[in-house]
Amino acid sequence: GDSVTQMEGPVTLSEEAFLTINCTYTATGYPSLFWYVQYPGEGLQLLLKATKADDKGSNKGFEATYRKETTSFHLEKGSVQVSDSAVYFCALSVGASGGSYIPTFGRGTSLIVHP
Amino acid sequence: KAGVTQTPRYLIKTRGQQVTLSCSPISGHRSVSWYQQTPGQGLQFLFEYFSETQRNKGNFPGRFSGRQFSNSRSEMNVSTLELGDSALYLCASSLEPSASGEDTQYFGPGTRLTVL
Protein backbone atom coordinates (compact mmCIF):
# COMPACT_ATOMS: atom_id res chain seq x y z
CA GLY A 1 0.00 0.00 0.00
CA ASP A 2 0.88 3.65 -0.03
CA SER A 3 3.28 4.87 2.62
CA VAL A 4 5.27 7.89 3.73
CA THR A 5 8.56 7.71 5.60
CA GLN A 6 9.94 10.68 7.48
CA MET A 7 13.18 11.09 9.35
CA GLU A 8 13.00 10.39 13.06
CA GLY A 9 12.99 13.35 15.38
CA PRO A 10 13.37 15.39 17.28
CA VAL A 11 15.43 17.67 15.11
CA THR A 12 17.11 20.27 17.31
CA LEU A 13 18.55 23.41 15.74
CA SER A 14 19.75 26.83 16.73
CA GLU A 15 17.92 29.87 15.43
CA GLU A 16 18.95 30.85 11.87
CA ALA A 17 20.24 27.35 11.10
CA PHE A 18 19.36 25.53 7.87
CA LEU A 19 16.60 22.95 8.10
CA THR A 20 16.06 19.77 6.13
CA ILE A 21 13.43 17.19 7.01
CA ASN A 22 13.55 14.17 4.74
CA CYS A 23 10.44 12.54 3.34
CA THR A 24 10.19 9.64 0.93
CA TYR A 25 7.11 7.87 -0.30
CA THR A 26 5.79 4.81 -2.06
CA ALA A 27 2.56 5.06 -3.96
CA THR A 28 0.64 3.48 -6.79
CA GLY A 29 -0.23 6.05 -9.39
CA TYR A 30 0.76 9.69 -9.23
CA PRO A 31 0.28 11.19 -5.81
CA SER A 32 -0.07 14.76 -4.68
CA LEU A 33 2.36 15.57 -1.88
CA PHE A 34 1.89 17.76 1.17
CA TRP A 35 3.65 19.10 4.22
CA TYR A 36 1.55 19.92 7.26
CA VAL A 37 2.63 21.58 10.49
CA GLN A 38 1.13 21.00 13.93
CA TYR A 39 1.80 23.49 16.69
CA PRO A 40 1.30 22.39 20.31
CA GLY A 41 -2.36 21.99 21.20
CA GLU A 42 -3.55 22.67 17.68
CA GLY A 43 -4.69 20.76 14.64
CA LEU A 44 -2.69 20.39 11.45
CA GLN A 45 -2.18 23.28 9.07
CA LEU A 46 -1.28 22.84 5.44
CA LEU A 47 2.19 24.29 4.95
CA LEU A 48 2.75 23.58 1.26
CA LYS A 49 1.88 21.13 -1.47
CA ALA A 50 2.91 19.92 -4.90
CA THR A 51 0.72 18.04 -7.31
CA LYS A 52 3.11 16.86 -10.02
CA ALA A 53 6.73 15.95 -10.59
CA ASP A 54 9.27 18.80 -10.37
CA ASP A 55 6.72 21.14 -8.80
CA LYS A 56 8.08 23.20 -5.92
CA GLY A 57 5.76 24.07 -3.07
CA SER A 58 6.70 27.04 -0.91
CA ASN A 59 5.25 28.98 2.00
CA LYS A 60 6.61 31.05 4.90
CA GLY A 61 10.19 30.42 3.80
CA PHE A 62 9.71 26.65 3.62
CA GLU A 63 10.21 24.82 0.33
CA ALA A 64 9.86 21.27 -0.95
CA THR A 65 10.32 19.88 -4.46
CA TYR A 66 8.42 16.87 -5.80
CA ARG A 67 11.14 14.47 -6.98
CA LYS A 68 9.57 11.56 -8.82
CA GLU A 69 12.88 9.91 -9.67
CA THR A 70 13.85 9.64 -6.01
CA THR A 71 10.26 9.50 -4.69
CA SER A 72 11.08 12.27 -2.26
CA PHE A 73 9.61 15.52 -1.01
CA HIS A 74 12.16 16.93 1.44
CA LEU A 75 11.25 20.03 3.43
CA GLU A 76 13.82 22.82 3.65
CA LYS A 77 14.13 26.26 5.18
CA GLY A 78 17.15 28.48 4.97
CA SER A 79 16.93 30.10 8.39
CA VAL A 80 14.67 28.70 11.10
CA GLN A 81 13.11 30.70 13.90
CA VAL A 82 12.05 29.71 17.40
CA SER A 83 8.46 30.08 16.23
CA ASP A 84 9.02 27.23 13.72
CA SER A 85 9.18 24.75 16.60
CA ALA A 86 6.39 22.27 15.85
CA VAL A 87 5.73 18.80 14.45
CA TYR A 88 5.93 18.49 10.67
CA PHE A 89 4.02 15.84 8.74
CA CYS A 90 4.64 14.71 5.20
CA ALA A 91 1.59 13.30 3.43
CA LEU A 92 0.40 12.04 0.07
CA SER A 93 -2.94 11.45 -1.55
CA VAL A 94 -3.60 9.13 -4.44
CA GLY A 95 -6.81 8.49 -6.30
CA ALA A 96 -8.72 5.50 -5.03
CA SER A 97 -11.84 3.92 -6.42
CA GLY A 98 -14.52 6.35 -7.40
CA GLY A 99 -11.98 9.10 -7.98
CA SER A 100 -11.66 9.95 -4.32
CA TYR A 101 -8.37 10.50 -2.61
CA ILE A 102 -7.44 9.03 0.74
CA PRO A 103 -4.49 10.73 2.41
CA THR A 104 -1.56 8.87 3.95
CA PHE A 105 0.57 10.62 6.55
CA GLY A 106 4.10 10.11 7.80
CA ARG A 107 4.74 9.70 11.52
CA GLY A 108 5.75 13.32 11.97
CA THR A 109 9.07 14.97 12.79
CA SER A 110 9.39 17.19 15.81
CA LEU A 111 11.46 20.33 15.28
CA ILE A 112 12.88 22.22 18.25
CA VAL A 113 14.58 25.54 17.60
CA HIS A 114 16.66 27.12 20.36
CA PRO A 115 17.36 30.87 20.57
CA LYS B 1 -14.30 33.31 8.90
CA ALA B 2 -14.46 30.89 11.82
CA GLY B 3 -12.28 27.81 11.60
CA VAL B 4 -13.17 24.19 12.14
CA THR B 5 -14.53 23.63 15.61
CA GLN B 6 -14.61 20.38 17.49
CA THR B 7 -16.45 19.55 20.68
CA PRO B 8 -15.68 18.53 23.27
CA ARG B 9 -11.97 19.27 23.40
CA TYR B 10 -11.30 16.70 26.11
CA LEU B 11 -13.18 13.57 27.07
CA ILE B 12 -12.61 10.77 29.55
CA LYS B 13 -14.53 7.52 29.21
CA THR B 14 -14.24 3.99 30.51
CA ARG B 15 -13.92 0.77 28.58
CA GLY B 16 -17.17 -0.46 27.09
CA GLN B 17 -18.79 2.96 26.93
CA GLN B 18 -19.59 4.76 23.73
CA VAL B 19 -18.71 8.29 22.72
CA THR B 20 -19.88 10.86 20.18
CA LEU B 21 -17.62 13.60 18.91
CA SER B 22 -18.79 16.62 16.96
CA CYS B 23 -17.24 18.68 14.20
CA SER B 24 -18.47 21.92 12.66
CA PRO B 25 -16.72 22.69 9.37
CA ILE B 26 -15.80 26.08 8.04
CA SER B 27 -18.86 27.84 6.67
CA GLY B 28 -19.43 26.78 3.08
CA HIS B 29 -17.31 23.65 3.32
CA ARG B 30 -19.21 20.52 2.41
CA SER B 31 -16.61 17.83 2.97
CA VAL B 32 -15.59 16.58 6.41
CA SER B 33 -12.90 14.02 7.14
CA TRP B 34 -11.98 12.38 10.42
CA TYR B 35 -8.56 11.19 11.56
CA GLN B 36 -7.17 9.37 14.58
CA GLN B 37 -3.77 10.48 15.87
CA THR B 38 -1.81 8.31 18.31
CA PRO B 39 1.87 8.20 19.24
CA GLY B 40 2.07 4.58 18.12
CA GLN B 41 0.25 4.68 14.80
CA GLY B 42 0.58 8.31 13.85
CA LEU B 43 -2.21 9.96 11.90
CA GLN B 44 -4.71 7.58 10.34
CA PHE B 45 -7.67 8.35 8.13
CA LEU B 46 -11.04 7.25 9.49
CA PHE B 47 -13.63 8.42 6.96
CA GLU B 48 -14.79 11.24 4.76
CA TYR B 49 -18.29 12.61 4.34
CA PHE B 50 -19.69 14.80 1.61
CA SER B 51 -23.31 15.83 1.19
CA GLU B 52 -24.35 13.52 4.01
CA THR B 53 -22.79 10.49 2.29
CA GLN B 54 -19.71 8.58 3.33
CA ARG B 55 -17.30 8.72 0.41
CA ASN B 56 -14.25 7.00 1.83
CA LYS B 57 -13.47 4.83 4.79
CA GLY B 58 -10.16 3.92 6.36
CA ASN B 59 -9.19 0.60 7.84
CA PHE B 60 -11.00 0.78 11.17
CA PRO B 61 -13.45 -1.65 12.77
CA GLY B 62 -17.18 -1.16 12.57
CA ARG B 63 -17.21 0.28 16.10
CA PHE B 64 -16.17 3.53 14.45
CA SER B 65 -18.97 5.22 12.58
CA GLY B 66 -19.93 8.67 11.51
CA ARG B 67 -22.55 10.77 9.87
CA GLN B 68 -23.00 14.17 8.33
CA PHE B 69 -25.99 16.43 8.61
CA SER B 70 -27.58 18.66 6.00
CA ASN B 71 -25.71 21.69 7.40
CA SER B 72 -22.41 19.77 6.86
CA ARG B 73 -21.78 19.32 10.56
CA SER B 74 -20.48 15.87 11.29
CA GLU B 75 -20.38 13.48 14.20
CA MET B 76 -18.34 10.39 14.77
CA ASN B 77 -19.27 7.67 17.19
CA VAL B 78 -17.15 5.00 18.79
CA SER B 79 -19.00 2.18 20.50
CA THR B 80 -17.68 -0.32 23.03
CA LEU B 81 -14.58 1.73 23.75
CA GLU B 82 -11.24 0.00 24.17
CA LEU B 83 -8.10 1.29 25.85
CA GLY B 84 -6.45 1.53 22.43
CA ASP B 85 -9.04 4.06 21.30
CA SER B 86 -7.34 6.70 23.42
CA ALA B 87 -6.20 9.25 20.89
CA LEU B 88 -6.53 12.72 19.48
CA TYR B 89 -9.39 12.73 16.98
CA LEU B 90 -9.02 15.37 14.31
CA CYS B 91 -11.64 16.66 11.97
CA ALA B 92 -10.82 18.43 8.72
CA SER B 93 -13.07 20.26 6.32
CA SER B 94 -12.74 21.28 2.69
CA LEU B 95 -14.91 22.90 0.08
CA GLU B 96 -15.23 19.78 -2.03
CA PRO B 97 -14.36 16.11 -1.61
CA SER B 98 -10.68 15.27 -1.67
CA ALA B 99 -10.66 14.81 -5.46
CA SER B 100 -7.36 15.33 -7.27
CA GLY B 101 -5.66 16.04 -3.97
CA GLU B 102 -6.16 19.69 -4.88
CA ASP B 103 -8.58 20.83 -2.29
CA THR B 104 -6.96 22.05 0.90
CA GLN B 105 -8.12 20.50 4.14
CA TYR B 106 -8.46 22.71 7.20
CA PHE B 107 -8.04 20.93 10.49
CA GLY B 108 -9.73 21.55 13.80
CA PRO B 109 -7.86 21.45 17.13
CA GLY B 110 -9.03 17.92 17.85
CA THR B 111 -10.80 16.09 20.65
CA ARG B 112 -8.51 14.34 23.13
CA LEU B 113 -10.22 11.07 24.13
CA THR B 114 -8.87 9.11 27.08
CA VAL B 115 -10.26 5.64 27.73
CA LEU B 116 -9.68 4.27 31.24
Side-chain angles (χ1 to χ4, degrees), chain B residues 59-104:
Chain B
N59 189 25
F60 278 82
R63 300 185 297 107
F64 291 82
S65 63
R67 60 178 176 168
Q68 187 180 34
F69 301 95
S70 58
N71 62 358
S72 295
R73 190 177 69 86
S74 177
E75 289 181 347
M76 67 162 281
N77 183 277
V78 188
S79 62
T80 319
L81 284 166
E82 300 177 359
L83 295 179
D85 297 333
S86 294
L88 180 67
Y89 289 89
L90 292 167
C91 166
S93 77
S94 57
L95 279 167
E96 298 292 336
S98 53
S100 303
E102 293 283 346
D103 209 8
T104 299

Coordinates of all heavy atoms in Angstrom, one line a residue, chain B residues 59-104:
Chain B
N59 N -9.2 2.0 7.4 CA -9.2 0.6 7.8 C -9.4 0.5 9.4 O -8.5 0.2 10.1 CB -7.8 0.0 7.5 CG -7.8 -1.5 7.7 OD1 -8.9 -2.2 7.7 ND2 -6.7 -2.1 8.0
F60 N -10.6 0.8 9.8 CA -11.0 0.8 11.2 C -12.2 -0.1 11.3 O -13.0 -0.3 10.4 CB -11.4 2.2 11.7 CG -10.2 3.0 12.0 CD1 -9.5 3.7 11.1 CD2 -9.8 3.1 13.3 CE1 -8.3 4.5 11.4 CE2 -8.6 3.9 13.7 CZ -7.9 4.6 12.7
P61 N -12.3 -0.7 12.6 CA -13.5 -1.7 12.8 C -14.8 -0.9 12.8 O -14.9 0.3 12.8 CB -13.2 -2.2 14.2 CG -12.2 -1.3 14.8 CD -11.4 -0.7 13.7
G62 N -15.8 -1.7 12.7 CA -17.2 -1.2 12.6 C -17.6 -0.4 13.8 O -18.7 0.3 13.8
R63 N -16.9 -0.5 14.9 CA -17.2 0.3 16.1 C -17.1 1.8 15.8 O -17.7 2.6 16.6 CB -16.3 -0.1 17.3 CG -16.3 -1.5 17.7 CD -15.4 -1.8 18.9 NE -14.0 -1.5 18.7 CZ -13.4 -0.4 19.1 NH1 -14.0 0.5 19.9 NH2 -12.1 -0.2 18.9
F64 N -16.3 2.1 14.8 CA -16.2 3.5 14.4 C -17.2 3.9 13.3 O -17.2 3.2 12.3 CB -14.7 3.8 13.9 CG -13.7 3.7 15.0 CD1 -13.2 2.4 15.4 CD2 -13.2 4.8 15.6 CE1 -12.3 2.3 16.4 CE2 -12.2 4.7 16.6 CZ -11.8 3.5 17.0
S65 N -18.0 4.8 13.6 CA -19.0 5.2 12.6 C -19.1 6.7 12.6 O -18.7 7.4 13.5 CB -20.3 4.6 12.9 OG -20.8 5.0 14.1
G66 N -19.7 7.2 11.6 CA -19.9 8.7 11.5 C -21.2 9.0 10.7 O -21.8 8.1 10.2
R67 N -21.5 10.3 10.7 CA -22.6 10.8 9.9 C -22.4 12.3 9.6 O -21.6 12.9 10.4 CB -23.9 10.5 10.5 CG -24.1 11.1 11.9 CD -25.5 10.8 12.4 NE -25.8 11.3 13.7 CZ -27.0 11.4 14.3 NH1 -28.0 11.0 13.6 NH2 -27.1 11.9 15.5
Q68 N -23.1 12.7 8.6 CA -23.0 14.2 8.3 C -24.4 14.7 8.2 O -25.3 14.0 7.6 CB -22.2 14.4 7.1 CG -22.0 15.9 6.8 CD -21.2 16.2 5.5 OE1 -21.3 15.4 4.5 NE2 -20.4 17.2 5.5
F69 N -24.7 15.8 8.7 CA -26.0 16.4 8.6 C -26.1 17.4 7.4 O -25.1 17.7 6.8 CB -26.3 17.2 9.9 CG -26.2 16.3 11.1 CD1 -25.0 16.2 11.9 CD2 -27.3 15.5 11.5 CE1 -24.9 15.4 13.0 CE2 -27.2 14.7 12.6 CZ -26.0 14.6 13.3
S70 N -27.3 17.8 7.2 CA -27.6 18.7 6.0 C -26.8 20.0 6.1 O -26.6 20.6 5.1 CB -29.1 18.9 5.8 OG -29.6 19.5 7.0
N71 N -26.5 20.4 7.3 CA -25.7 21.7 7.4 C -24.2 21.4 7.4 O -23.4 22.3 7.7 CB -26.1 22.4 8.7 CG -25.8 21.6 9.9 OD1 -25.3 20.5 9.8 ND2 -26.0 22.2 11.1
S72 N -23.8 20.2 7.0 CA -22.4 19.8 6.9 C -21.7 19.4 8.2 O -20.6 18.9 8.2 CB -21.6 20.8 6.1 OG -22.0 20.9 4.8
R73 N -22.4 19.7 9.3 CA -21.8 19.3 10.6 C -21.7 17.8 10.6 O -22.5 17.1 10.0 CB -22.6 19.8 11.7 CG -22.0 19.6 13.1 CD -22.9 20.2 14.2 NE -24.1 19.5 14.4 CZ -24.2 18.4 15.2 NH1 -23.2 18.0 15.8 NH2 -25.4 17.8 15.3
S74 N -20.7 17.3 11.3 CA -20.5 15.9 11.3 C -20.3 15.4 12.7 O -19.8 16.1 13.6 CB -19.3 15.5 10.4 OG -19.0 14.1 10.5
E75 N -20.6 14.2 12.9 CA -20.4 13.5 14.2 C -19.7 12.1 13.9 O -20.0 11.5 12.9 CB -21.7 13.2 15.0 CG -22.3 14.4 15.5 CD -23.6 14.1 16.3 OE1 -24.1 13.0 16.2 OE2 -24.1 15.0 17.0
M76 N -18.8 11.7 14.8 CA -18.3 10.4 14.8 C -18.6 9.7 16.1 O -18.7 10.4 17.1 CB -16.9 10.3 14.4 CG -15.9 10.8 15.5 SD -14.2 10.2 15.2 CE -14.3 8.6 15.8
N77 N -18.9 8.4 16.0 CA -19.3 7.7 17.2 C -18.3 6.5 17.3 O -18.0 5.8 16.3 CB -20.7 7.2 17.0 CG -21.2 6.5 18.3 OD1 -21.0 5.3 18.4 ND2 -21.9 7.2 19.1
V78 N -17.9 6.2 18.5 CA -17.1 5.0 18.8 C -17.9 4.2 19.9 O -18.2 4.7 20.9 CB -15.7 5.3 19.3 CG1 -14.9 4.0 19.4 CG2 -15.0 6.3 18.4
S79 N -18.3 3.0 19.5 CA -19.0 2.2 20.5 C -18.0 1.2 21.2 O -17.0 0.9 20.7 CB -20.1 1.4 19.8 OG -19.6 0.6 18.8
T80 N -18.5 0.7 22.3 CA -17.7 -0.3 23.0 C -16.2 0.1 23.1 O -15.3 -0.6 22.5 CB -17.8 -1.7 22.4 OG1 -19.2 -1.9 22.0 CG2 -17.4 -2.8 23.4
L81 N -15.9 1.2 23.7 CA -14.6 1.7 23.8 C -13.6 0.7 24.3 O -13.8 0.0 25.2 CB -14.6 3.0 24.6 CG -15.2 4.2 23.9 CD1 -15.4 5.3 24.9 CD2 -14.2 4.7 22.8
E82 N -12.4 0.8 23.7 CA -11.2 0.0 24.2 C -10.1 1.0 24.6 O -10.1 2.1 24.1 CB -10.8 -0.9 23.0 CG -11.8 -1.9 22.6 CD -11.3 -2.7 21.4 OE1 -10.2 -2.5 21.0 OE2 -12.1 -3.6 20.9
L83 N -9.2 0.4 25.4 CA -8.1 1.3 25.8 C -7.3 1.9 24.7 O -6.9 3.0 24.7 CB -7.1 0.5 26.7 CG -7.7 0.0 28.1 CD1 -6.6 -0.8 28.8 CD2 -8.2 1.2 28.9
G84 N -7.2 1.1 23.6 CA -6.5 1.5 22.4 C -7.1 2.6 21.6 O -6.5 3.2 20.7
D85 N -8.4 3.0 22.0 CA -9.0 4.1 21.3 C -8.6 5.4 21.8 O -9.0 6.4 21.3 CB -10.6 3.9 21.4 CG -11.1 2.6 20.8 OD1 -10.4 2.1 19.8 OD2 -12.1 2.1 21.2
S86 N -7.9 5.4 22.9 CA -7.3 6.7 23.4 C -6.5 7.4 22.4 O -5.5 6.8 21.9 CB -6.5 6.5 24.7 OG -7.3 6.0 25.7
A87 N -6.9 8.6 22.0 CA -6.2 9.3 20.9 C -6.7 10.7 20.8 O -7.6 11.1 21.5 CB -6.5 8.5 19.6
L88 N -6.0 11.4 19.9 CA -6.5 12.7 19.5 C -7.3 12.5 18.2 O -6.8 12.0 17.2 CB -5.4 13.7 19.2 CG -5.7 15.1 18.8 CD1 -6.5 15.8 19.9 CD2 -4.5 15.9 18.4
Y89 N -8.6 12.9 18.2 CA -9.4 12.7 17.0 C -9.5 14.1 16.3 O -10.0 15.0 16.9 CB -10.8 12.2 17.4 CG -10.6 10.7 17.8 CD1 -10.4 10.4 19.1 CD2 -10.7 9.7 16.8 CE1 -10.2 9.0 19.5 CE2 -10.5 8.4 17.2 CZ -10.3 8.0 18.5 OH -10.1 6.7 18.9
L90 N -9.0 14.1 15.1 CA -9.0 15.4 14.3 C -10.1 15.3 13.2 O -10.3 14.3 12.6 CB -7.6 15.6 13.7 CG -6.5 15.8 14.6 CD1 -5.2 15.7 13.9 CD2 -6.6 17.2 15.3
C91 N -10.7 16.5 13.0 CA -11.6 16.7 12.0 C -11.1 17.7 11.0 O -10.4 18.6 11.4 CB -12.9 17.2 12.6 SG -14.1 17.8 11.4
A92 N -11.3 17.5 9.7 CA -10.8 18.4 8.7 C -11.9 18.7 7.7 O -12.7 17.8 7.4 CB -9.6 17.9 8.0
S93 N -12.0 19.9 7.3 CA -13.1 20.3 6.3 C -12.4 20.8 5.1 O -11.3 21.4 5.1 CB -14.1 21.2 6.9 OG -13.6 22.6 6.9
S94 N -13.2 20.7 4.0 CA -12.7 21.3 2.7 C -14.0 21.6 1.9 O -15.1 21.1 2.2 CB -11.8 20.3 1.9 OG -12.4 19.1 1.7
L95 N -13.8 22.5 0.9 CA -14.9 22.9 0.1 C -15.6 21.7 -0.6 O -16.8 21.6 -0.6 CB -14.4 23.9 -1.0 CG -14.3 25.3 -0.5 CD1 -13.5 26.1 -1.5 CD2 -15.6 26.0 -0.2
E96 N -14.7 20.9 -1.2 CA -15.2 19.8 -2.0 C -14.6 18.5 -1.5 O -13.7 18.5 -0.7 CB -14.9 20.0 -3.5 CG -15.5 21.2 -4.1 CD -17.0 21.1 -4.3 OE1 -17.5 20.0 -4.3 OE2 -17.7 22.2 -4.3
P97 N -15.0 17.4 -2.0 CA -14.4 16.1 -1.6 C -12.9 16.1 -2.0 O -12.5 16.9 -2.9 CB -15.1 15.0 -2.4 CG -16.4 15.7 -2.8 CD -16.2 17.1 -2.9
S98 N -12.1 15.3 -1.5 CA -10.7 15.3 -1.7 C -10.3 14.7 -3.1 O -9.4 13.9 -3.2 CB -10.0 14.5 -0.6 OG -10.6 13.2 -0.5
A99 N -11.0 15.2 -4.1 CA -10.7 14.8 -5.5 C -9.4 15.5 -6.0 O -9.2 16.7 -5.7 CB -11.8 15.1 -6.4
S100 N -8.6 14.8 -6.7 CA -7.4 15.3 -7.3 C -6.3 15.8 -6.3 O -5.3 16.3 -6.6 CB -7.7 16.5 -8.2 OG -8.6 16.2 -9.2
G101 N -6.6 15.6 -5.0 CA -5.7 16.0 -4.0 C -5.5 17.5 -4.0 O -4.6 18.1 -3.4
E102 N -6.4 18.2 -4.7 CA -6.2 19.7 -4.9 C -6.8 20.5 -3.8 O -6.3 21.6 -3.4 CB -6.8 20.1 -6.2 CG -6.2 19.6 -7.4 CD -4.9 20.3 -7.8 OE1 -4.7 21.4 -7.2 OE2 -4.1 19.8 -8.6
D103 N -7.9 20.0 -3.2 CA -8.6 20.8 -2.3 C -7.9 20.8 -0.9 O -7.7 19.7 -0.4 CB -10.0 20.4 -2.2 CG -10.9 21.5 -1.9 OD1 -10.5 22.7 -1.9 OD2 -12.1 21.3 -1.6
T104 N -7.6 21.9 -0.4 CA -7.0 22.0 0.9 C -7.9 21.7 2.0 O -9.0 22.1 2.1 CB -6.5 23.5 1.1 OG1 -5.5 23.8 0.1 CG2 -5.8 23.6 2.5

